[in-house]
Amino acid sequence: MADEDAGAPSDPVTSVEGTLRPGDFTRDLIRWSETLAAVARTGLGFTQSLYEKERFEEVLKVASDIKAAADEALEVRREQDHFVQEWLESVGEGVPGYVTPKVAVGAVVGNAAGEILLVQRADSGIWLYPTGWADIGYSPSEIAVKEVEEETGILCEPVQVLSVIDGQRMGFTRFGMYMILFHCRAIGGELKPHPLETSGAGWFRRDDLPWPTAGASWWGDLAFGAINGERMMASFDPPREPIWRGEH
């Protein structure tokens, strides 16, 4: 996956016993800004009213201020105008303009030895299961099979969906992204890491994961349970209560 590592938390959870800490607040700022921006961009994609367009553009400016504040907390320096322009350039018309999360597909691939297939991202050096953005024209399971072969040379077959998660909520990305994680079974091929996207690939036991491996604390039990033959229930993010602060 090119933009951001889907399994690498960018802002780890830092709340303890209900106490709000800076990391939590930064996450909230990012979530609020992206949600406001999505509402405004969707509105711009559907409205024909000049008045409404002006209002939606004002909302984008507010969202950019919030996101810039979050970036300052993370010591990332970008101007508010950058966000507004970036969001405006992505506005479509009608249904194509309805802003939804990006979709990524990951593949937990196991072999007969009970090992998991991991790749090392060329851009970050982080180890993770093969992942990729969902290309149009493919089903999610086809994306999983395609990404595994492209990134590692291994042929696999999908067995089941392990998890559907909100990457932004878990801190994997700073924009809206859903990850569909499949369990796949290796059926052939030869280990051959992609020369541009990866720095390496290999098979690893649970007690011998390479460093740094991203997110194993949340996907490890799920992945190795499936690899070892357990029929796992697909997991998902439970609804927050309340979903937004101030709801009654």
Side-chain angles (χ1 to χ4, degrees):
M1 179 185 297
D3 295 331
E4 296 192 33
D5 294 311
S10 59
D11 185 23
V13 175
T14 54
S15 60
V16 178
E17 298 180 353
T19 301
L20 186 65
R21 295 191 177 183
D24 300 299
F25 185 62
T26 301
R27 261 197 189 172
D28 281 342
L29 287 177
I30 293 170
R31 178 186 177 216
W32 296 334
S33 69
E34 289 291 343
T35 301
L36 281 174
V39 170
R41 287 153 59 203
T42 298
L44 287 169
F46 279 87
T47 187
Q48 298 297 317
S49 167
L50 291 178
Y51 174 81
E52 289 184 350
K53 287 183 178 180
E54 288 180 355
R55 300 285 72 75
F56 286 131
E57 289 178 6
E58 284 299 315
V59 173
L60 281 182
K61 292 176 183 178
V62 174
S64 73
D65 283 346
I66 297 174
K67 190 160 187 175
D71 275 2
E72 287 179 5
L74 295 173
E75 297 184 352
V76 177
R77 304 299 180 189
R78 286 197 286 175
E79 298 296 327
Q80 287 93 328
D81 289 347
H82 166 86
F83 299 125
V84 174
Q85 187 60 35
E86 186 178 83
W87 285 326
L88 284 173
E89 288 175 354
S90 67
V91 172
E93 292 185 4
V95 173
Y98 198 105
V99 180
T100 62
K102 291 181 69 67
V103 178
V105 178
V108 166
V109 182
N111 62 14
E115 298 169 318
I116 189 172
L117 178 64
L118 299 179
V119 298
Q120 186 177 36
R121 312 304 307 184
D123 52 359
S124 65
I126 290 174
W127 288 85
L128 186 64
Y129 45 75
T131 61
W133 294 121
D135 297 316
I136 293 174
Y138 297 87
S139 72
S141 64
E142 289 170 337
I143 294 292
V145 170
K146 179 173 75 74
E147 287 297 325
V148 170
E149 183 176 6
E150 288 178 355
E151 293 188 3
T152 71
I154 297 299
L155 304 178
C156 69
E157 60 181 6
V159 178
Q160 70 167 117
V161 173
L162 286 180
S163 186
V164 180
I165 60 169
D166 180 345
Q168 186 181 45
R169 175 174 171 177
M170 295 190 72
F172 299 166
T173 65
R174 299 182 61 227
F175 52 86
M177 183 271 279
Y178 292 163
M179 162 72 77
I180 304 173
L181 183 61
F182 283 87
H183 167 222
C184 300
R185 183 183 299 113
I187 57 174
E190 181 180 346
L191 198 60
K192 186 178 180 181
H194 191 287
L196 298 178
E197 295 184 12
T198 69
S199 298
W203 296 98
F204 299 93
R205 299 189 306 274
R206 175 67 189 270
D207 60 357
D208 192 29
L209 297 179
W211 187 89
T213 297
S217 59
W218 80 263
W219 55 256
D221 290 342
L222 194 65
F224 282 96
I227 290 171
N228 292 328
E230 299 177 35
R231 188 66 180 179
M232 310 298 292
M233 292 290 292
S235 65
F236 56 89
D237 301 309
R240 282 170 285 228
E241 184 58 43
I243 295 176
W244 293 101
R245 294 178 186 173
E247 287 187 354
H248 300 289

